[in-house]
């Protein structure tokens, strides 16, 4: 269970998060939506301890990770997998070494066993047999799938997705959404997905939270969100220029 | 009045920024030391960096060392000829190379080649979130990325300096003896008479220190890159400038302490 309590974060004078309160349910997919530059990635990085809040708490399985030292934080991080916006594959290593990285770092598995696990993970994301390719040889969608394979290699309980479908064509978007839904189900994951693709939101999300001006302004099931009359949310979902969200 | 106070303000801020940066680099150094002694030592990563910093710099170091020795012999010859002291050319080249030019030139060349690459590589990893990905996978980026580069810098710079010293003296010999007709026996005898092991050792200690500076600055600039591709370019330039200046400034103080 992940719980954010009154999380504040500023960079210099720029206030990005201004009191986030959010309960993320276990075994479900929570989608966080919001405008570009609105602090969605910053929020996600707080959940995994890459950023520490100026004030407030980030509680993962009962522990406030904002107050942990590096060693304890690393223990908590083994519960997590994360797919970064541009996949963040190590470009000095091939696909095999990328997916094997967490296995080599945190398990005592033999090389043959690691190879087998990597092959399984790549199959699970629909990319069997690409072990020897370098990240630069892959398309954006393939890179994200390899990134997902790497993120789930250690069988984490929680997987964070930073804009998994941004920049992909509609077919690849659909494929990634299906992949998120399937992996979530088959590994019974708690997923937190950042997105601003309206179709994907309702497809993958059990719960949806809207981030606006540093706060969660609306949070509910997909039905509740569809029926919400919150003007910010309505404008965001319809993509209209009229409304409280100003475009500068 | 207003203009003056604005200028003072700007100057003061620049000074404070520089002091703050030095503090940050020092903090990074402390954390490198702490991660260095915490097992396991990642030997494979260290060897890879030693190859990159050391083996792949040999060619430029040989070239710069040789030609520096050659030009020193040429210049020294014109001076010493006036006093009929041509046979001192060899020892001048040897002392200059081992005490100063070997370590300094090697460090500047490796800064340009490897220090810049460290900043560019870590900078790219930073802006493409690869460093965050390391942290997320519970792997400390300082231990995984920076410690091997620092170790490689500190070990390989003295090794390269030996190559540079040797090539410089060799270059001096080839200009001095066959071209300028200095007596070979006197050339060599003066080297062995005037250069003692202390000169070489002190040069190598300098080199190790320069290796620390260039790798630490390169890693620091890369690690703290912001602002996309442009930021990577900026970090790379800043790393080369800051490391080169630091090497030359610290060389003065090291020389003052040692000799
Ligand atoms: N490490 C950082 N240092 C300074 N500013 C940052 C940092 N990370 C994000 N920001 C700023 O915070 C704001 C929100 O960024 P982000 O969370 O990436 O937005 P998005 O919702 O598009 O993911 C942006 O204005 C960004 O410039
Ligand atoms: Mg983002």
């Amino acid at each position: 269970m992940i719980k954010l309590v009154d999380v504040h974060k500023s960079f210099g004078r720029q206030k990005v998060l201004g009191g986030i309160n959010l309960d993320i349910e276990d075994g479900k997919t929570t989608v966080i939506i919001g405008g570009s530059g609105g602090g969605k990635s910053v929020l996600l990085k707080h959940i995994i301890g890459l950023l520490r809040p100026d004030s407030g708490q980030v509680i993962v399985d009962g522990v406030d990770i904002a107050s942990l030292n590096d060693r304890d934080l690393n223990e908590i991080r083994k519960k997590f997998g994360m797919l970064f916006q541009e996949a963040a594959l190590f470009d000095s290593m091939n696909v095999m070494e990328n997916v094997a990285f967490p296995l080599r770092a945190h398990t005592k598995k033999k090389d043959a066993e690691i190879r087998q696990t990597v092959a399984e993970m790549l199959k699970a994301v629909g990319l069997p047999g690409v072990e020897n390719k370098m990240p630069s040889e892959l398309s954006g969608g393939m890179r994200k799938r390899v990134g997902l394979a790497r993120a789930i290699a250690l069988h984490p309980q929680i997987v964070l997705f930073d804009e998994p479908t941004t920049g992909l064509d509609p077919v690849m978007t659909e494929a990634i959404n299906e992949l998120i839904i399937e992996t979530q189900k088959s590994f019974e994951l708690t997923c937190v997905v950042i997105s601003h693709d309206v179709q994907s939101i309702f497809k993958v999300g059990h719960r949806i939270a809207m981030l606006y001006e540093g706060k969660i302004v609306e949070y509910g099931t997909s039905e509740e969100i569809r029926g919400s009359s919150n003007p910010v949310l309505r404008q965001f979902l319809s993509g209209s220029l009229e409304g409280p969200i100003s475009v500068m | 009045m207003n203009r003056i106070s604005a200028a003072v303000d700007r100057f003061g801020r620049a000074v404070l920024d520089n002091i703050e940066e030095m503090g940050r680099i020092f903090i990074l150094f402390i954390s490198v030391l702490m991660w260095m002694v915490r097992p396991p030592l990642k030997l494979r990563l260290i060897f890879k960096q030693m190859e990159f910093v050391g083996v792949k710099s040999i060619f430029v170091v040989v070239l710069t060392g040789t030609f520096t020795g050659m030009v020193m012999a040429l210049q020294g010859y014109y001076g010493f000829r006036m006093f009929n002291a041509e046979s001192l050319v060899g020892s001048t080249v040897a002392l200059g190379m081992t005490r100063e030019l070997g370590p300094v030139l090697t460090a500047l060349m490796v800064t340009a080649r490897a220090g810049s690459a460290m900043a560019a590589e870590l900078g790219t990893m930073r802006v493409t979130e690869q460093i965050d990905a390391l942290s997320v996978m519970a792997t400390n980026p300082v231990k995984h990325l920076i410690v091997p580069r620092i170790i490689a810098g500190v070990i390989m710079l003295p090794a390269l300096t030996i190559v540079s010293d040797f090539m410089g003296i060799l270059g001096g010999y080839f200009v001095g003896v066959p071209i300028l007709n200095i007596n070979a026996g006197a050339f060599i005898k003066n080297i062995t008479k005037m250069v003692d092991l202390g000169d070489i050792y002190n040069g190598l200690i300098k080199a190790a220190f320069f290796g620390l500076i260039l790798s630490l600055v390169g890693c620091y600039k890369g690690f703290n890159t912001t602002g996309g591709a442009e930021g990577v370019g900026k970090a790379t330039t800043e790393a080369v400038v800051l490391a080169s200046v630091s090497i030359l400034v610290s060389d003065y103080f090291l020389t003052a302490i040692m000799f």
Side-chain angles (χ1 to χ4, degrees):
Chain A
M1 169 87 168
I2 303 167
K3 193 177 166 75
L4 287 89
V5 184
D6 201 26
V7 171
H8 287 258
K9 182 72 177 180
S10 303
F11 295 107
R13 284 196 200 128
Q14 184 194 7
K15 189 163 133 192
V16 179
L17 302 180
I20 298 282
N21 288 292
L22 186 63
D23 287 1
I24 290 165
E25 228 177 298
D26 280 346
K28 293 260 160 51
T29 300
T30 302
V31 180
I32 298 170
I33 59 178
S36 297
K40 302 185 298 298
S41 299
V42 169
L43 176 57
L44 207 61
K45 284 176 181 174
H46 276 84
I47 295 178
I48 198 164
L50 281 173
L51 291 171
R52 289 178 195 255
D54 298 337
S55 66
Q57 294 173 302
V58 179
I59 298 166
V60 177
D61 290 343
V63 188
D64 179 12
I65 64 166
S67 62
L68 291 181
N69 63 26
D70 280 359
R71 190 173 305 190
D72 296 337
L73 187 56
N74 273 346
E75 282 310 308
I76 296 272
R77 277 179 177 156
K78 290 176 189 167
K79 299 180 183 185
F80 283 91
M82 179 161 179
L83 175 58
F84 287 87
Q85 198 161 340
E86 306 290 337
L89 299 180
F90 301 126
D91 43 30
S92 59
M93 302 176 189
N94 65 15
V95 168
M96 166 77 203
E97 288 308 312
N98 263 287
V99 181
F101 191 92
L103 298 165
R104 292 199 205 286
H106 299 299
T107 68
K108 301 223 178 315
K109 287 186 178 172
K110 296 266 177 298
D111 203 54
E113 213 177 331
I114 287 179
R115 279 171 190 283
Q116 197 191 333
T117 313
V118 171
E120 276 166 25
M121 289 299 149
L122 288 175
K123 205 165 149 226
V125 299
L127 283 177
V130 297
E131 279 92 336
N132 293 323
K133 287 218 188 320
M134 296 303 284
S136 56
E137 299 173 77
L138 304 177
S139 73
M142 288 164 91
R143 243 180 269 175
K144 288 196 179 179
R145 286 196 269 177
V146 174
L148 180 58
R150 185 176 71 178
I152 58 175
L154 281 177
H155 295 293
Q157 304 157 23
I158 308 158
V159 180
L160 312 179
F161 298 83
D162 195 350
E163 302 198 15
T165 58
T166 300
L168 300 181
D169 64 63
V171 177
M172 188 52 84
T173 298
E174 190 54 36
I176 297 279
N177 284 339
E178 283 301 320
L179 194 55
I180 294 174
I181 293 166
E182 265 169 44
T183 15
Q184 192 273 331
K185 257 194 221 146
S186 56
F187 295 98
E188 292 175 350
L189 298 171
T190 304
C191 290
V192 183
V193 182
I194 286 178
S195 182
H196 43 214
D197 171 28
V198 174
Q199 290 195 329
S200 307
I201 294 165
F202 292 110
K203 212 163 273 165
V204 303
H206 300 116
R207 298 278 183 284
I208 293 163
M210 167 99 200
L211 176 66
Y212 178 65
E213 294 189 332
K215 288 201 160 67
I216 300 294
V217 293
E218 193 74 43
Y219 181 44
T221 62
S222 23
E223 290 75 42
E224 286 164 353
I225 292 295
R226 262 189 241 268
S228 163
S229 59
N230 185 315
V232 175
L233 194 62
R234 293 257 57 92
Q235 186 192 355
F236 186 85
L237 293 181
S238 64
S240 156
L241 286 174
E242 310 284 314
I245 306 173
S246 66
V247 186
M248 279 172 295
Chain B
M1 187 60 218
N2 239 340
R3 259 213 220 131
I4 295 174
S5 83
V8 170
D9 196 51
R10 228 174 310 134
F11 177 74
R13 191 156 305 162
V15 170
L16 285 183
D17 283 352
N18 276 310
I19 293 175
E20 189 190 326
E21 177 155 75
M22 269 155 60
R24 285 176 192 277
I25 294 177
F26 187 71
I27 290 169
L28 177 63
F29 177 57
I30 299 296
S31 113
V32 166
L33 288 182
M34 277 166 30
W35 283 106
M36 204 178 284
V37 295
R38 202 184 288 189
L41 211 54
K42 303 190 173 182
L43 285 179
R44 206 176 49 85
L45 293 176
I46 295 173
F47 286 139
K48 203 174 139 199
Q49 288 304 320
M50 284 172 72
E51 188 198 0
F52 176 69
V53 174
V55 181
K56 295 194 171 157
S57 299
I58 288 179
F59 183 66
V60 285
V61 167
V62 165
L63 266 184
T64 49
T66 311
F67 277 92
T68 307
M70 286 165 67
V71 78
M72 276 177 81
L74 203 54
Q75 288 285 12
Y77 176 79
Y78 294 134
F80 286 125
R81 193 177 49 180
M82 291 186 247
F83 312 102
N84 288 322
E86 290 95 332
S87 63
L88 287 177
V89 165
S91 47
T92 309
V93 171
L95 276 179
M97 286 307 296
T98 53
R99 291 169 70 147
E100 282 304 329
L101 293 173
V104 171
L105 285 177
T106 303
L108 292 179
M109 293 316 288
V110 176
T111 298
R113 235 203 98 253
S116 63
M118 289 178 191
E121 204 177 335
L122 296 199
T124 306
M125 291 188 75
R126 168 62 76 195
V127 301
T128 57
E129 297 185 307
Q130 291 176 52
I131 291 180
D132 285 340
L134 273 179
S135 302
V136 164
M137 290 188 276
T139 301
N140 184 282
V142 172
K143 181 161 183 68
H144 190 82
L145 296 172
I146 302 188
V147 168
R149 285 171 167 80
I150 305 284
I151 293 178
V154 173
I155 294 179
M156 293 320 281
L157 258 283
L160 289 168
T161 297
I162 292 175
V163 173
S164 173
D165 290 353
F166 179 77
M167 292 312 297
I169 295 169
L170 206 64
Y173 182 90
F174 275 110
V175 170
V177 176
I179 300 179
L180 302 171
N181 290 318
I182 299 170
N183 180 284
F187 187 99
I188 292 168
K189 203 183 90 209
N190 272 328
I191 292 180
T192 50
K193 201 167 77 186
M194 297 189 58
V195 181
D196 60 33
L197 273 181
D199 294 315
I200 299 173
Y201 286 153
N202 285 345
L204 296 184
I205 291 171
K206 274 187 184 180
F209 187 75
F210 297 157
L212 172 66
I213 290 181
L214 75 90
S215 52
L216 191 60
V217 170
C219 289
Y220 169 82
K221 287 289 182 186
F223 206 65
N224 292 293
T225 300
T226 53
E230 194 188 344
V232 175
K234 201 165 139 249
T236 310
T237 313
E238 285 176 5
V240 172
V241 172
L242 181 60
S244 307
V245 170
S246 308
I247 284 167
L248 292 171
V249 171
S250 63
D251 181 47
Y252 173 81
F253 291 102
L254 287 174
T255 306
I257 295 169
M258 284 176 175
F259 295 105

